Amino acid sequence: MTKMQWLSTTPVCGVLLMTAVHAFAAPPAPLQQSNMSLPLANALVEATMSACHAQGRVAVAAVIDRGGHLLSLQRDDRVGPHNTDAAIKKAFTALSTKTPSRIFAENARKNPESNNLNTIDSLLLIGGGVPVKVGDEVIGAIGVGGAGGSVFDEACALEAIDKVLGTAK
């Protein structure tokens, strides 16, 4: 084989080699992951509301799944209407950042490059949102509003997670 013949067959060999590699590669598989169920979301909302009521507080509690979809929501009669939207946004913030919204808000205030995060409509940089985890996997989040401040909001959510799942994460 002359050098010219070899050079003209090299691209063909490369294509055949790549085709062979792809022929033996595993086909794409669907993603397997845990998610928040409606019964779990309802149990978390009930436990959150009970935790707030045990402290003599009224609240609104929202639970979203890992895709950010609202699954369950309860609002006490005497809670301002703005707290419903706030609870949902707190949950979304906790889900999106995989961290309690209070901690995310504190970290954002410390970082000048994060000043524009408060312009993102779906985020709320205030405490009261807590990710819900199974092991290390975030499967959804709880957001609480109207309980008298973000510390109380977060405490109700953490107590609910501990009661329902046995671990306040």
Side-chain angles (χ1 to χ4, degrees), residues 71-104:
L71 289 179
S72 188
L73 176 89
Q74 279 190 30
R75 183 184 63 83
D76 278 317
D77 295 332
R78 297 182 316 270
V79 174
H82 67 283
N83 287 299
T84 300
D85 189 40
I88 294 168
K89 286 183 176 185
K90 289 175 183 185
F92 189 83
T93 302
L95 172 74
S96 294
T97 63
K98 296 180 170 73
T99 189
S101 60
R102 175 185 53 80
I103 293 172
F104 181 71

Side-chain angles (χ1 to χ4, degrees), residues 48-151:
T48 301
M49 297 301 281
S50 293
C52 286
H53 295 161
Q55 298 174 23
R57 301 186 176 282
V58 295
V60 58
V63 173
I64 61 174
D65 67 11
R66 74 179 306 127
H69 305 285
L70 180 64
L71 289 179
S72 188
L73 176 89
Q74 279 190 30
R75 183 184 63 83
D76 278 317
D77 295 332
R78 297 182 316 270
V79 174
H82 67 283
N83 287 299
T84 300
D85 189 40
I88 294 168
K89 286 183 176 185
K90 289 175 183 185
F92 189 83
T93 302
L95 172 74
S96 294
T97 63
K98 296 180 170 73
T99 189
S101 60
R102 175 185 53 80
I103 293 172
F104 181 71
E106 289 172 2
N107 291 340
R109 280 191 291 277
K110 294 175 187 174
N111 182 352
E113 292 181 13
S114 300
N115 285 339
N116 65 344
L117 286 173
N118 63 354
T119 65
I120 300 173
D121 287 339
S122 56
L123 299 180
L124 186 59
L125 302 183
I126 188 170
V130 180
V132 177
K133 296 179 181 181
V134 173
D136 290 332
E137 189 175 7
V138 176
I139 64 165
I142 301 176
V144 182
S150 61
V151 171

Side-chain angles (χ1 to χ4, degrees), residues 8-60:
S8 66
T9 60
T10 302
V12 173
C13 292
V15 169
L16 290 175
L17 180 61
M18 289 177 64
T19 304
V21 167
H22 287 294
F24 295 109
L31 185 60
Q32 301 288 323
Q33 53 190 195
S34 298
N35 200 357
M36 180 75 65
S37 67
L38 180 59
L40 178 56
N42 287 335
L44 287 166
V45 163
E46 288 288 337
T48 301
M49 297 301 281
S50 293
C52 286
H53 295 161
Q55 298 174 23
R57 301 186 176 282
V58 295
V60 58

